[in-house]
Structures are given as structure tokens and as C-alpha cells.
Amino acid sequence: MTNIEKSNRPFDADERDGLLTEYKTLRDEILTAKGRRLQTVSLTVGAFGVILSIIAGAVLGSDIPSPETRLAVAIGGSIALYGIVIPSLIMTLTLQQTIQRIGGYIRVFIEPRVPGLNWENRWYVHKSQHRLSGGLRGIGGIYYFLSLLPLLLPFYTLSQSTQNWPLILVLAPFVCWSLYLSYDMHAAISKSWKWQWKPDDEKSSSTQKAG
């Protein structure tokens, strides 16, 4: 039985009420996840700014006269900043993928069976027609900025003295990891974005073919 046939077949009020209750529950979960996503980004930016100001005060102040020590402090501070940015990126990616999976479930299993519920399907068609990525360009841009900003103080310190410059290579894995996660947030390139729900009729037909 296809989704169109399912949407056209009659069903009783109890089934409709059950679907609407499930729909409301899932929409509430989406709103909760969006709230947590915004809270994660906001807390990350706030914590990042506080730690960056403390590190900048130490590196740019006169309390540390040695260029080598200033460079070490700048690099250590940058690692601390990446210790905030990278976990935040992972949490935000997980929340966004959860939101999309819930939306996909609504699009595949609920909207075709309840007349008047069309948002997820129409949004899916719109993204397909305009070739929009499944990622978040705005939040991805914020994390691009946060991924590069920790390099500012180490490079400033190197401009004052190039001694011990190989120390800055310690930051390379953190920079690459953070930029990759930011790009994944922006363009949705990893496999975890590709997973999709399959309608029951597709599952049954694939099972019959496998058998």
C-alpha cells in the first residue's frame, strides 16, 4: 500500500487523535532541541569571550616579559578555547541532526496520513528544488569565526619573536578538527546527515527483494 493510498483510506477518530498527539509530541521535541541548540551556541560564545579576554590580558600585559613564555601561554589558551568550541560543535551537530530526523519521521509517517499537515513535506520539496544543504549556514559561520579566532594571539606573539615557532604546530589538529566540524555544520557532508526514514511500503518491498 502506497503513502497516497494510506492518506486516502478512511481511519477512525481514535487513530487520527493518536497521530495528532504523536505529531504534537514530536513538534515539542523539535522545539526543545532548538532551544537547547540556541542555548549551547550562546553559552559557547559567552564562555569563549570570557576566556579569550583573560588570555589576551595575560599575553598582552607586562607581567610576562619573556616572548617564549607569552607564546606558550597563548598556545595553551588557544587549546583551552578549542576545548570549548569542539565539544560545542559536536553537541550542536547532534541536536540539529536529531531535529532533522524527527522532522523526517513526521514527513514520512504522519503528514501523509493526516490532511492539513504539510509543512515538513513542502519544506523538503523546497530544499530539493533549490538544492539547499541540510546544514545550518548561519551557525556554521559563527563556528568558522570561533575556529579561527584562537589563532590570533599565537600569531601576534610570533610577530614579536619567531623563536620556538614550531610550538604553534601543536594547534594544527585542533584547528583542522574544528574547521571540519564547522564545515559539516554548514554543508552537511558527513554520513550522519544522510540517514533517512523509509516508508513502510518501501521497507516491505526491500525485504521481499532480499528474500
Side-chain angles (χ1 to χ4, degrees):
M1 183 180 293
T2 65
N3 285 339
I4 296 176
E5 290 171 340
K6 287 181 180 178
S7 63
N8 291 331
R9 71 176 177 85
F11 55 91
D12 56 28
D14 291 338
E15 183 178 0
R16 180 185 176 87
D17 291 343
L19 288 170
L20 289 175
T21 299
E22 184 181 23
Y23 175 81
K24 183 179 183 304
T25 300
L26 293 174
R27 294 303 302 178
D28 289 342
E29 289 184 14
I30 289 176
L31 293 176
T32 300
K34 286 184 176 181
R36 290 174 59 193
R37 185 186 65 193
L38 178 60
Q39 186 180 35
T40 300
V41 176
S42 300
L43 290 174
T44 299
V45 173
F48 189 99
V50 171
I51 295 176
L52 181 61
S53 63
I54 294 173
I55 299 168
V59 172
L60 301 178
S62 58
D63 296 337
I64 306 177
S66 170
E68 293 81 5
T69 306
R70 283 202 300 270
L71 179 60
V73 171
I75 291 175
S78 297
I79 293 174
L81 291 174
Y82 284 119
I84 294 174
V85 173
I86 292 174
S88 173
L89 268 165
I90 294 172
M91 288 187 289
T92 306
L93 280 167
T94 301
L95 286 169
Q96 181 59 26
Q97 290 164 4
T98 299
I99 291 170
Q100 293 202 4
R101 286 173 182 169
I102 296 174
Y105 180 90
I106 293 173
R107 176 176 59 83
V108 172
F109 294 108
I110 296 181
E111 287 189 352
R113 300 174 63 186
V114 181
L117 299 182
N118 303 305
W119 164 251
E120 294 293 344
N121 275 283
R122 288 180 176 176
W123 176 239
Y124 180 80
V125 171
H126 174 78
K127 289 196 299 182
S128 300
Q129 290 176 344
H130 294 82
R131 298 182 179 179
L132 300 179
S133 68
L136 296 172
R137 295 183 179 181
I139 294 180
I142 293 174
Y143 280 108
Y144 278 132
F145 178 72
L146 295 180
S147 297
L148 295 174
L149 195 57
L151 298 175
L152 182 62
L153 289 175
F155 278 113
Y156 171 80
T157 306
L158 281 178
S159 69
Q160 307 299 312
S161 174
T162 57
Q163 294 182 359
N164 298 325
W165 66 267
L167 279 176
I168 203 168
L169 297 178
V170 173
L171 296 176
F174 299 98
V175 177
C176 294
W177 191 7
S178 186
L179 286 175
Y180 170 76
L181 292 174
S182 299
Y183 182 64
D184 192 25
M185 177 77 70
H186 168 86
I189 59 170
S190 63
K191 290 182 179 179
S192 54
W193 293 95
K194 311 303 180 185
W195 187 89
Q196 292 184 355
W197 294 99
K198 290 185 178 180
D200 293 333
D201 55 326
E202 290 186 12
K203 289 183 181 179
S204 59
S205 61
S206 62
T207 303
Q208 292 173 0
K209 289 180 181 179

